[in-house]
Amino acid sequence: MTRARIAIIGASGYTGAELVRLVTSHPRMEIAALAADRNAGKAMGDVYPSFAHMDLPRLVATDDIDWSGIDLAFCGLPHATAQAVIGGLPRDLKVVDLSADFRLRDAAVYAKWYGHEHHAPELQDEAVYGLPEFYRDALKTTRLAAGTGCFVVTGLMPLLPLCEAGLIDLDDIVIDAKTGITGAGRSAAEWKLFSEVTEGTKAYGIATHRHTAEFDQELSKAAGREVVVSFTPHLLPMNRGILATIYVKGDPEAIQAALAARYAAEPFVQVMPMGEAPTTWSVRGSNMVRIGVTPDRRPGRAIIVSVLDNLVKGASGQAVQCANLMLGFEETEGLMLAPMFP
Amino acid sequence: MTRARIAIIGASGYTGAELVRLVTSHPRMEIAALAADRNAGKAMGDVYPSFAHMDLPRLVATDDIDWSGIDLAFCGLPHATAQAVIGGLPRDLKVVDLSADFRLRDAAVYAKWYGHEHHAPELQDEAVYGLPEFYRDALKTTRLAAGTGCFVVTGLMPLLPLCEAGLIDLDDIVIDAKTGITGAGRSAAEWKLFSEVTEGTKAYGIATHRHTAEFDQELSKAAGREVVVSFTPHLLPMNRGILATIYVKGDPEAIQAALAARYAAEPFVQVMPMGEAPTTWSVRGSNMVRIGVTPDRRPGRAIIVSVLDNLVKGASGQAVQCANLMLGFEETEGLMLAPMFP
Amino acid sequence: MTRARIAIIGASGYTGAELVRLVTSHPRMEIAALAADRNAGKAMGDVYPSFAHMDLPRLVATDDIDWSGIDLAFCGLPHATAQAVIGGLPRDLKVVDLSADFRLRDAAVYAKWYGHEHHAPELQDEAVYGLPEFYRDALKTTRLAAGTGCFVVTGLMPLLPLCEAGLIDLDDIVIDAKTGITGAGRSAAEWKLFSEVTEGTKAYGIATHRHTAEFDQELSKAAGREVVVSFTPHLLPMNRGILATIYVKGDPEAIQAALAARYAAEPFVQVMPMGEAPTTWSVRGSNMVRIGVTPDRRPGRAIIVSVLDNLVKGASGQAVQCANLMLGFEETEGLMLAPMFP
Amino acid sequence: MTRARIAIIGASGYTGAELVRLVTSHPRMEIAALAADRNAGKAMGDVYPSFAHMDLPRLVATDDIDWSGIDLAFCGLPHATAQAVIGGLPRDLKVVDLSADFRLRDAAVYAKWYGHEHHAPELQDEAVYGLPEFYRDALKTTRLAAGTGCFVVTGLMPLLPLCEAGLIDLDDIVIDAKTGITGAGRSAAEWKLFSEVTEGTKAYGIATHRHTAEFDQELSKAAGREVVVSFTPHLLPMNRGILATIYVKGDPEAIQAALAARYAAEPFVQVMPMGEAPTTWSVRGSNMVRIGVTPDRRPGRAIIVSVLDNLVKGASGQAVQCANLMLGFEETEGLMLAPMFP
């Protein structure tokens, strides 16, 4: 069985490192190139000592990659940079982008939330939204997948089926999300220091977080009308995990039943029995999403809790899931990782 | 200047220990007795090595306290136990109870949420709700103050003025709270182990947490009609701090202005400028509450963030604040602690 | 390729859960039975929600396991209990015990450190010390392997070759070890609460920790004379990882060279270049040991740092490594896990 | 009672913020000026939201401080910068410096360890080592105190009396220290990110950490001959606290007795009963040092554990203690803070 040859651009970031972890244990992939412009020339084990014992290609500049013979590239660069780099890649190369650059299909919406014109609008048209549970067929034939926002996938998994089925009031969706800090990446900043984060919490980006636009886009598409959500992220003193607490109006029994039915055959989504709520500990290190529905004490309302590991199902794991589809592999190949607890 | 002689019942719990911390640095209080039935006979420094260098009375059984000459007792026992013990104390002794036993004024409501009849309903009638910013005058003359629930005070501080003034839709209040684990006390349980708590989060007691009844009681009283909130607590991997994210319908400008005006003269409450949100780091170890209001992106809605230290303003600090009023001291005496960060 | 059928006794403890994680991803093993006497009847997913989506046998009492057709049992019970249970297992069943029960070959030494006579001294004779890098051949033929102490394997990996080669002063070995809390297991105790562990550290079991006897036994055997070490463990606010800082007298260059040569071909041991020290982050979730040697500023002394994940190479991973040898598999089968960082 | 007027230079660093916490609750001090060059013009509450409710002077550039009427300045600047700034202050201003600049009395030693010539050697001569328990009389009359290294004070407290009394082998002192991260300050760096620090540990600066020179200086002075220690610091995933485990040769009983006698009258040092070891939790937020002595299992050796809060007794608390002496106040004034646990 031949292996697909994989390049990882932006390998020295956290999503890049997580891709290395996943790809090196994937039975049908092998790493052909690792790119990290600022760290070019270094061994991956110098940038991540956890990989020091592994036989990995040395980091190179993206421009120095020889693309012949490479089947697929993961791109873990920051937004704006990603669109420039991906625009310059060979046209026949399959690409899974993990940035925000190709998630929004409307160039005007992109410009509004990200503050500048999109530099590769033609790729924006071509990109398929990288949520396999909802874009499976399109992902099998696309050459460019747009990795989903980590908060967004956490919220969309329960909300998309409910918007599609008209089971909730589309004008009253509140998403209160809690995240570990790895979603903020590895660049140094005072607010990300251990001394500033441990033993406390805060809300941030209230009503202005960029993932909001992505929520609106996908939920509106599912509902067939405009949906505008309230979304508030919070930073927690932990590395991995997102928990979204979602307040909706609708019949809790119908909601739970619809979700359970929708995801019964999905390998990476588990809907819990009525009244149970999942924890982030239960998904750490894995590609799982777990969803629980509890009736609110006020009739006709439900509280939905959805969890995942932001670096796996929220980023690199989902990217590998997309790549499996794009490469014609089993969708679960290399991704049936048991969560790591404790 | 004579000092009030203080007894602390339940001194080996976390609220008891925090009372010791606060009372020993209070210029007008001195510790006359420390009771902890299971640890009776031990030195406080054996139960809390942080106090090992301090000159403190040895722990005794509550029944062995000589009440003559004691001015006020703090009671940090679990609910149900507290009502039994306080029922047996001298009638002229001032008492600040930190349990849930005297917070609910309606015995039927108590029985519904706590699962048993109240054993001291006459004390229940007598108790004043221990929220000085709203019950200041009554606290000056009562002999029994009922310490407020830690989640409840976090939410009431912003919500009470808004309910009183009719500035928000009373039928659509969502309180999403995040707490450190010290609120759960010092008793050993698997779910409280470091190995089970670090690096993750969960929602718990969804729609059933007992503090809900206390929210309803106080908000209904303020609004002059029944208020039923949605309240969801979450456990965070940290020791101290509660952050409540509150979703309301109302005019954000009017809400922020009303809160700023209401608390302008309150020493322990700070309302932040429009659009700023406080963090739990900013109140750790102090008796402060900080409140921020941000307009939601959906018109006519606001997102309010309220924070405090659950062991101080959420429990022992507020208890000392009540005691100051009951003993005729300056309300701020001994409580102007600077937060400890980092 | 047939898979070995595996039973895990003590599956509801942390080492048991880690075995489930490892065995379910092992290409040549399958779980035939999971035993946990106190949790018998429950689903594994109820005890560890991280496994809730996996198809695992229900927990049973150890006595209810049908041993026919089972090839190997891992036993993750506490010491003393383990020897009783293992004594009652079928004589032809291969067993890897993770407790301290079969580590000490001298019954008198066991009795001294563990406070009671050994109940299965005949098994004690039969057991092979479960350190594959030093007992590989014996492990291939034994039916009982004795899992090593988590601190001990951390220290032995650098010290055994040095004692064998006479490269260090045998009378002056100081092992200062730092560990995460999962080594203390899942049973509830006040000192293990998150609120008691976070944001601080302590030494414990100074000069009396039971792993000391295991150090003495193996180092004396390697040196061919009695070796008595100083060993001090410390508890750190983290879940996984042991870091041992070892102070020895000897030539740093010779020490580093000897270790590098000794482990050049070992898949799970990496000796770092002179002067580099490994971190526990670099081994989390993996079966790796990393060792670094730095010259002390005092001539003729070296400071050795050794790290591993206490639940993997310090317990369950090493147990699987032993099982691979006992079952005739490749020693690395199922164990080439990339560390998980961040 | 008049209050001393205090300036804090470097107020936006962690030691600066801790000084603000301590000085604002000090009954005989008041803050007259806060300087922070890069943050000049900001409110202290913008830099540390924990101070947002307090009435504090706005941050200014050091050069803009009006020194008339200021009694004492604390200087919390980095080394090298501190000597330049302090050299330019009024000659009659009392100064407590918290950097490493005036700790080493020998300019050649300073140059060797810090890599550049000292810029204010005349001040170096004038400075008194800021360890009140050993330099009390000199501190009462000096105008410049040199704050001690945080690791150094942790180790010196037990070691100085033992070196003075000749109770330990001066050629075999091993100091294995564990610290929280706040000692590394607030400047952003990848290695200090929460995501890089949580859930792991490492040794660093093995045999090369600059505090080593300070150990040598003070221990040699106490012993009356050259002492060369082995010192290895470790970073722990916590904010505050240093624990030093010290391995010495000597009679444990004599060691414990000597320390207990030496510190019996010291308000900030507690020597524990034989065989007990202190924890960092027990000193958090306070100015206490706790010391425990345990006999090693090897006769004639002892294991000493010493703990303190690096931001208080390891830095700002000790600086206030020095300032109390320099200003003629009670040494304990404003410093009898109860530790904060949990």
Side-chain angles (χ1 to χ4, degrees):
Chain A
M1 186 166 63
T2 60
R3 289 168 180 253
R5 290 170 52 80
I6 303 294
I8 299 172
I9 304 171
S12 61
Y14 288 148
T15 54
E18 190 71 353
L19 283 164
V20 171
R21 181 173 84 94
L22 296 173
V23 172
T24 54
S25 65
H26 192 294
R28 300 205 58 188
M29 293 185 181
E30 67 181 19
I31 295 180
L34 296 174
D37 284 8
R38 275 179 305 168
N39 287 303
K42 290 189 187 169
M44 191 66 184
D46 291 337
V47 181
Y48 286 93
S50 46
F51 296 130
H53 62 294
M54 295 169 66
D55 186 26
L56 291 169
R58 193 163 282 269
L59 293 168
V60 297
T62 308
D63 287 346
D64 292 340
I65 295 181
D66 173 7
W67 292 105
S68 61
I70 291 184
D71 299 293
L72 184 141
F74 293 103
C75 184
L77 298 175
H79 72 87
T81 307
Q83 57 194 251
V85 168
I86 293 173
L89 296 180
R91 287 288 140 179
D92 59 343
L93 180 70
K94 294 181 200 295
V95 177
V96 182
D97 179 40
L98 285 84
S99 83
D101 275 3
F102 301 104
R103 296 171 187 166
L104 298 176
R105 281 181 286 271
D106 183 329
V109 172
Y110 179 87
K112 176 188 163 202
W113 286 86
Y114 287 87
H116 65 92
E117 293 305 305
H118 203 286
H119 303 125
E122 74 291 354
L123 288 176
Q124 208 177 9
D125 292 341
E126 187 183 347
V128 172
Y129 193 67
L131 191 60
E133 287 79 5
F134 290 86
Y135 291 84
R136 185 165 282 136
D137 289 340
L139 287 166
K140 287 178 181 170
T141 57
T142 191
R143 67 163 284 267
L144 175 58
T148 54
C150 54
F151 287 119
V152 187
V153 59
T154 319
L156 290 185
M157 296 305 273
L159 287 172
L160 279 179
L162 305 181
C163 288
E164 283 175 353
L167 287 173
I168 56 173
D169 181 345
L170 298 171
D171 293 320
D172 212 348
I173 301 172
V174 171
I175 304 165
D176 188 285
K178 297 89 178 166
T179 186
I181 199 169
T182 52
R186 204 183 200 188
S187 60
E190 182 184 290
W191 71 271
K192 294 197 278 180
L193 296 181
F194 183 90
S195 40
E196 304 277 320
V197 173
T198 188
E199 293 289 314
T201 190
K202 67 173 175 184
Y204 66 99
I206 303 175
T208 60
H209 193 284
R210 285 162 168 173
H211 285 185
T212 309
E214 207 178 326
F215 271 119
D216 288 358
Q217 168 182 289
E218 295 300 312
L219 294 178
S220 299
K221 175 165 171 287
R225 50 153 279 197
E226 187 181 35
V227 177
V228 179
V229 301
S230 292
F231 167 57
T232 310
H234 299 76
L235 177 66
L236 268 57
M238 62 190 207
N239 260 354
R240 287 170 182 252
I242 293 178
L243 184 148
T245 312
I246 305 172
Y247 299 88
V248 294
K249 289 181 180 160
D251 177 55
E253 298 288 342
I255 288 170
Q256 197 275 345
L259 292 174
R262 173 64 179 81
Y263 291 118
E266 286 291 346
F268 297 121
V269 188
Q270 185 191 30
V271 178
M272 308 183 74
M274 187 61 148
E276 293 186 18
T279 76
T280 64
W281 299 289
S282 77
V283 294
R284 186 168 51 206
S286 82
N287 201 49
M288 290 298 295
V289 177
R290 292 189 213 272
I291 300 169
V293 180
T294 303
D296 193 4
R297 58 195 291 256
R298 292 188 287 167
R301 292 169 184 258
I303 299 167
I304 305 173
V305 176
S306 175
V307 299
L308 51 70
D309 181 324
N310 56 297
L311 287 181
V312 192
K313 185 63 176 172
S316 303
Q318 179 137 290
V320 171
Q321 192 180 346
C322 290
N324 281 341
L325 290 167
M326 294 162 74
L327 292 165
F329 299 159
E330 280 294 310
E331 188 173 334
T332 57
E333 198 86 71
L335 288 174
M336 299 310 287
L337 314 151
M340 195 169 93
F341 174 87
Chain B
M1 186 167 62
T2 59
R3 289 168 180 253
R5 289 170 53 79
I6 303 294
I8 298 171
I9 303 171
S12 61
Y14 288 148
T15 54
E18 190 71 354
L19 283 164
V20 171
R21 180 172 84 93
L22 296 173
V23 172
T24 54
S25 65
H26 193 293
R28 301 207 55 190
M29 293 185 182
E30 67 181 18
I31 293 180
L34 295 174
D37 285 7
R38 275 180 307 169
N39 286 304
K42 290 189 186 168
M44 191 67 183
D46 292 337
V47 180
Y48 285 94
S50 46
F51 297 130
H53 60 294
M54 295 169 65
D55 186 25
L56 292 169
R58 193 163 281 269
L59 293 168
V60 297
T62 309
D63 287 346
D64 292 341
I65 294 180
D66 172 8
W67 292 105
S68 61
I70 291 185
D71 298 294
L72 182 141
F74 292 103
C75 185
L77 298 175
H79 72 88
T81 307
Q83 58 195 249
V85 167
I86 293 173
L89 296 179
R91 288 286 139 180
D92 59 342
L93 180 71
K94 295 181 200 294
V95 177
V96 181
D97 179 41
L98 284 85
S99 83
D101 275 3
F102 301 104
R103 295 171 187 166
L104 298 176
R105 283 182 286 271
D106 184 328
V109 172
Y110 178 87
K112 175 188 164 201
W113 286 86
Y114 286 87
H116 64 92
E117 294 304 306
H118 203 287
H119 302 126
E122 74 292 354
L123 288 176
Q124 208 178 9
D125 292 341
E126 187 182 346
V128 172
Y129 193 67
L131 192 61
E133 286 79 4
F134 290 86
Y135 290 85
R136 184 164 282 136
D137 289 341
L139 286 166
K140 287 178 181 169
T141 57
T142 191
R143 65 164 285 267
L144 175 59
T148 54
C150 54
F151 286 120
V152 186
V153 59
T154 319
L156 290 185
M157 297 304 274
L159 287 172
L160 279 179
L162 305 180
C163 287
E164 282 175 354
L167 287 172
I168 55 173
D169 181 345
L170 298 171
D171 293 320
D172 212 347
I173 301 171
V174 171
I175 304 165
D176 188 285
K178 297 89 178 165
T179 186
I181 199 168
T182 53
R186 204 183 200 188
S187 60
E190 182 184 290
W191 70 271
K192 294 196 278 180
L193 297 181
F194 183 89
S195 40
E196 304 277 320
V197 173
T198 188
E199 293 290 314
T201 189
K202 67 173 175 183
Y204 65 99
I206 302 175
T208 59
H209 193 284
R210 284 162 168 172
H211 284 185
T212 309
E214 207 177 326
F215 271 120
D216 288 358
Q217 168 182 289
E218 294 301 312
L219 294 178
S220 298
K221 176 165 171 286
R225 51 152 277 197
E226 188 180 34
V227 177
V228 178
V229 301
S230 292
F231 166 56
T232 310
H234 300 76
L235 177 66
L236 268 57
M238 62 189 207
N239 260 354
R240 287 170 182 253
I242 293 178
L243 183 149
T245 312
I246 305 172
Y247 300 87
V248 295
K249 290 182 179 160
D251 176 54
E253 298 288 342
I255 287 170
Q256 198 275 345
L259 292 174
R262 173 63 179 81
Y263 292 118
E266 286 291 346
F268 298 120
V269 188
Q270 185 191 30
V271 178
M272 308 183 72
M274 188 59 147
E276 293 187 17
T279 76
T280 64
W281 299 289
S282 76
V283 294
R284 186 169 50 205
S286 82
N287 201 49
M288 292 297 294
V289 178
R290 293 191 214 271
I291 300 169
V293 179
T294 302
D296 194 4
R297 58 196 290 256
R298 293 188 287 168
R301 293 169 184 258
I303 298 167
I304 305 172
V305 176
S306 175
V307 300
L308 51 71
D309 181 326
N310 56 296
L311 287 180
V312 192
K313 185 62 175 173
S316 303
Q318 178 138 290
V320 170
Q321 193 180 345
C322 290
N324 281 341
L325 290 167
M326 293 163 74
L327 291 165
F329 299 159
E330 280 295 310
E331 188 173 334
T332 57
E333 197 87 70
L335 288 173
M336 298 311 287
L337 314 151
M340 193 169 95
F341 174 86
Chain C
M1 186 167 62
T2 60
R3 290 168 180 252
R5 290 170 52 79
I6 303 294
I8 299 171
I9 304 171
S12 62
Y14 288 148
T15 54
E18 190 72 354
L19 283 164
V20 170
R21 181 172 84 93
L22 296 172
V23 172
T24 53
S25 66
H26 193 294
R28 301 205 57 189
M29 293 185 182
E30 67 181 19
I31 294 180
L34 295 174
D37 284 8
R38 274 179 307 169
N39 287 304
K42 291 188 186 168
M44 190 66 183
D46 292 337
V47 180
Y48 285 94
S50 46
F51 297 130
H53 61 294
M54 295 168 66
D55 186 24
L56 291 169
R58 193 163 281 270
L59 293 168
V60 297
T62 310
D63 286 346
D64 292 340
I65 295 181
D66 172 8
W67 292 104
S68 62
I70 292 184
D71 299 293
L72 183 141
F74 292 103
C75 184
L77 298 176
H79 72 86
T81 306
Q83 57 194 250
V85 167
I86 294 173
L89 296 179
R91 287 288 139 179
D92 58 342
L93 179 71
K94 294 181 200 296
V95 178
V96 181
D97 179 40
L98 284 85
S99 83
D101 275 3
F102 301 104
R103 296 170 187 166
L104 299 176
R105 282 182 286 271
D106 183 328
V109 173
Y110 178 88
K112 176 188 163 199
W113 286 86
Y114 287 87
H116 64 92
E117 294 303 305
H118 203 287
H119 302 125
E122 74 292 352
L123 288 175
Q124 209 177 10
D125 292 341
E126 188 183 346
V128 172
Y129 193 67
L131 192 60
E133 287 78 6
F134 290 86
Y135 291 84
R136 184 164 283 136
D137 289 340
L139 286 166
K140 287 179 180 170
T141 57
T142 191
R143 65 162 285 266
L144 175 58
T148 54
C150 54
F151 286 120
V152 187
V153 59
T154 319
L156 290 185
M157 297 305 273
L159 287 172
L160 279 179
L162 305 180
C163 287
E164 283 175 352
L167 287 172
I168 56 173
D169 181 345
L170 299 171
D171 294 320
D172 212 347
I173 301 171
V174 170
I175 304 164
D176 188 285
K178 298 89 178 165
T179 186
I181 200 169
T182 53
R186 204 183 200 186
S187 60
E190 182 184 290
W191 70 270
K192 294 197 278 180
L193 297 181
F194 182 89
S195 40
E196 305 276 320
V197 173
T198 188
E199 293 290 311
T201 190
K202 67 173 175 182
Y204 66 98
I206 303 175
T208 60
H209 193 283
R210 285 162 168 172
H211 285 185
T212 309
E214 207 177 326
F215 271 119
D216 287 359
Q217 168 182 288
E218 295 300 312
L219 295 178
S220 299
K221 177 164 170 285
R225 51 152 278 197
E226 187 181 36
V227 177
V228 179
V229 301
S230 292
F231 167 56
T232 310
H234 299 77
L235 177 66
L236 269 58
M238 62 189 206
N239 260 354
R240 287 169 181 253
I242 293 179
L243 183 148
T245 312
I246 306 173
Y247 300 88
V248 295
K249 289 181 180 161
D251 177 55
E253 298 288 342
I255 288 170
Q256 197 275 343
L259 292 174
R262 173 62 179 83
Y263 292 117
E266 286 291 348
F268 298 122
V269 188
Q270 185 191 30
V271 178
M272 308 183 73
M274 188 61 148
E276 294 187 17
T279 76
T280 64
W281 299 288
S282 77
V283 294
R284 186 169 50 205
S286 82
N287 202 49
M288 291 297 294
V289 177
R290 291 190 215 271
I291 300 169
V293 180
T294 303
D296 194 4
R297 58 195 292 254
R298 293 187 288 168
R301 293 170 184 258
I303 299 167
I304 305 172
V305 176
S306 175
V307 300
L308 51 70
D309 181 325
N310 56 296
L311 287 180
V312 192
K313 185 63 175 171
S316 303
Q318 179 138 289
V320 171
Q321 192 180 346
C322 290
N324 281 342
L325 290 167
M326 294 163 73
L327 292 165
F329 299 159
E330 281 294 310
E331 188 173 333
T332 56
E333 197 87 71
L335 288 174
M336 298 311 288
L337 314 151
M340 194 168 95
F341 174 86
Chain D
M1 186 167 62
T2 61
R3 291 169 180 252
R5 289 170 53 80
I6 304 294
I8 299 172
I9 304 170
S12 61
Y14 288 148
T15 55
E18 190 72 353
L19 282 164
V20 171
R21 181 173 83 94
L22 296 172
V23 172
T24 53
S25 66
H26 192 293
R28 301 207 53 190
M29 293 185 181
E30 67 181 18
I31 294 181
L34 295 173
D37 284 7
R38 275 180 306 169
N39 287 303
K42 290 189 187 168
M44 190 67 184
D46 292 336
V47 181
Y48 286 93
S50 45
F51 297 129
H53 62 294
M54 295 169 65
D55 186 26
L56 292 169
R58 194 163 281 270
L59 293 169
V60 297
T62 309
D63 286 346
D64 292 340
I65 295 181
D66 172 7
W67 291 105
S68 63
I70 291 185
D71 299 292
L72 183 141
F74 292 103
C75 184
L77 297 175
H79 72 87
T81 307
Q83 57 194 251
V85 168
I86 293 173
L89 296 179
R91 287 286 140 181
D92 59 342
L93 180 70
K94 295 182 200 294
V95 177
V96 182
D97 179 41
L98 284 84
S99 82
D101 275 3
F102 301 104
R103 295 170 188 168
L104 298 176
R105 282 181 287 269
D106 184 328
V109 172
Y110 178 88
K112 176 188 163 201
W113 286 86
Y114 287 86
H116 63 92
E117 294 304 305
H118 202 287
H119 303 126
E122 74 292 353
L123 289 175
Q124 208 177 9
D125 292 341
E126 187 183 347
V128 172
Y129 193 67
L131 192 61
E133 288 77 5
F134 290 86
Y135 290 84
R136 184 164 283 135
D137 289 340
L139 286 166
K140 288 180 181 169
T141 57
T142 191
R143 67 163 282 267
L144 175 58
T148 54
C150 55
F151 286 120
V152 187
V153 59
T154 319
L156 289 185
M157 297 305 273
L159 287 171
L160 279 179
L162 305 180
C163 287
E164 282 175 354
L167 287 172
I168 56 174
D169 181 345
L170 298 172
D171 293 321
D172 212 348
I173 301 172
V174 171
I175 303 165
D176 187 285
K178 296 90 178 165
T179 186
I181 198 168
T182 52
R186 203 183 201 188
S187 61
E190 182 185 289
W191 70 271
K192 294 197 277 180
L193 297 181
F194 183 90
S195 41
E196 304 277 320
V197 173
T198 188
E199 293 289 313
T201 189
K202 67 173 176 183
Y204 66 98
I206 303 175
T208 60
H209 193 283
R210 284 162 168 172
H211 284 185
T212 309
E214 206 177 325
F215 271 119
D216 288 358
Q217 169 182 287
E218 294 301 312
L219 295 177
S220 298
K221 176 166 171 286
R225 51 152 278 197
E226 188 182 34
V227 176
V228 179
V229 302
S230 292
F231 166 57
T232 311
H234 299 77
L235 176 66
L236 269 56
M238 62 190 206
N239 259 355
R240 287 168 181 254
I242 292 179
L243 183 148
T245 312
I246 304 172
Y247 299 88
V248 294
K249 290 181 179 160
D251 176 54
E253 298 287 342
I255 287 170
Q256 197 275 344
L259 292 174
R262 173 63 179 81
Y263 292 118
E266 286 292 347
F268 298 120
V269 188
Q270 185 191 30
V271 178
M272 308 184 73
M274 188 60 147
E276 294 187 17
T279 76
T280 64
W281 299 288
S282 76
V283 295
R284 185 169 49 206
S286 83
N287 202 47
M288 291 297 295
V289 177
R290 293 190 213 272
I291 300 169
V293 180
T294 303
D296 193 4
R297 57 196 292 255
R298 293 188 288 168
R301 292 170 184 258
I303 299 167
I304 305 173
V305 176
S306 175
V307 299
L308 51 70
D309 181 324
N310 56 296
L311 287 181
V312 192
K313 185 63 176 173
S316 303
Q318 179 138 288
V320 171
Q321 192 180 347
C322 290
N324 281 341
L325 290 167
M326 294 162 74
L327 292 165
F329 299 159
E330 280 296 309
E331 188 173 333
T332 57
E333 198 86 71
L335 288 174
M336 299 310 288
L337 313 152
M340 193 169 95
F341 174 86

